[in-house]
Structures are given as C-alpha cells and as structure tokens.
Amino acid sequence: RVLYKKNALDSDRMQQLNSIDINWHLCYHSWNEKFNQLCAFKTQNGHSNVSKYVTQTKFLGQWVVNQRVFYKRNTLTSDRIQQLDSIGFEWDPREVSWNEHFDQLCTFKTQNGHSNVSTLDTHNTSLGNWVRDQRASYKKNALSSN
C-alpha cells in the first residue's frame, strides 16, 4: 500500500494484487465498517453513545470518541459528517444529556409547582442529582453560558 500510494509499485505486482481484489484504501473500508457497526448499535440501543469502557464495545466506543474529536478539530470530511448526521449522531453527548435533564426539570416543575427535586426522591434520583450539580456549579460560578 505504501508503494502504491507513492506510485512506486511495480505494475506486474500491482496487477497481481488487483487480480485478488486488494483493498488499496483500507482506512475507507475500516471507517465504513465501524460506521455500519454504529448503525447496528444505534438500532439496537436507540442512541449512538457507545461506551469505550464496556469490553464488548470498547473499540467502537473509542472510534465514536475519535469521530467527535476529528469533528471538533475540523478534520472530519464533510461526507463522513453527513453520514453520521444521517443517523442522528450526537456530536456532544453532554449537551444532549443537559437538555434532556432540563426538559425533565421543566416537566417536574409543571407537575409539582416547584423545581426543588430531592436527591432522595426514588422516582427522580437522576434528576435530583443533576439539579444538585447545577446548583453547585452555579455557586462556583461555573455554569456554562450556553
């Protein structure tokens, strides 16, 4: 592949390799393979936030992390961005999580007339913890302006 890229591969050898359908562009094949795995994961789990800490998904999870990094660095091709967008890829899972919790808090306030969610409320433990964390960030003047 290195010689092929440098246009230095002997034509006979290139012909031999072509006769067995060598994949000259392995990175494209590999990316598409991972993308297909991500599509299957999303179909099965309803989201694209693959954990890199779970043994069964660690390689796909790291690939997902890498796509987000490449996107932030502006080094991901527009075709790949489009492919990921087409399946509802979440570029910033923290933002998605924040918005989901905020929506839950709005619903809670509508139903209860207040936004004082207790961390001890067994029906709203996650929301209570999120509200606690938002208050702590506010006190530290560390809430994002977004």
Side-chain angles (χ1 to χ4, degrees):
R1 287 192 182 107
V2 172
L3 293 174
Y4 173 81
K5 285 180 183 177
K6 292 181 179 180
N7 233 4
L9 185 62
D10 178 89
S11 63
D12 289 336
R13 289 196 176 174
M14 186 164 35
Q15 209 169 16
Q16 282 180 294
L17 291 166
N18 283 334
S19 74
I20 61 166
D21 294 325
I22 188 166
N23 184 348
W24 294 109
H25 306 285
L26 192 57
C27 63
Y28 296 116
H29 174 73
S30 177
W31 193 92
N32 287 330
E33 192 175 294
K34 289 292 188 211
F35 178 75
N36 290 335
Q37 288 175 16
L38 179 62
C39 290
F41 178 91
K42 184 167 186 201
T43 298
Q44 186 174 5
N45 297 283
H47 61 82
S48 58
N49 295 321
V50 185
S51 175
K52 65 180 185 176
Y53 301 108
V54 175
T55 303
Q56 298 91 326
T57 62
K58 71 179 181 179
F59 295 114
L60 182 59
Q62 186 57 55
W63 182 84
V64 165
V65 168
N66 290 342
Q67 302 318 297
R68 291 181 177 129
V69 169
F70 297 149
Y71 179 79
K72 285 179 184 173
R73 291 182 182 166
N74 209 21
T75 58
L76 195 60
T77 67
S78 59
D79 288 345
R80 289 180 176 179
I81 292 169
Q82 215 168 18
Q83 278 185 273
L84 290 164
D85 281 343
S86 76
I87 64 163
F89 185 75
E90 296 171 357
W91 294 105
D92 188 348
R94 288 186 192 147
E95 181 73 15
V96 171
S97 175
W98 195 95
N99 288 330
E100 287 172 353
H101 280 102
F102 181 77
D103 290 345
Q104 289 174 13
L105 181 59
C106 291
T107 300
F108 180 91
K109 183 174 182 185
T110 299
Q111 292 173 347
N112 298 284
H114 63 83
S115 57
N116 299 322
V117 187
S118 171
T119 56
L120 303 176
D121 181 345
T122 56
H123 299 293
N124 295 294
T125 305
S126 175
L127 181 60
N129 289 334
W130 181 82
V131 169
R132 179 201 60 215
D133 294 345
Q134 298 311 300
R135 287 185 178 125
S137 294
Y138 175 80
K139 287 177 185 175
K140 294 177 185 175
N141 204 19
L143 269 181
S144 171
S145 60
N146 294 351

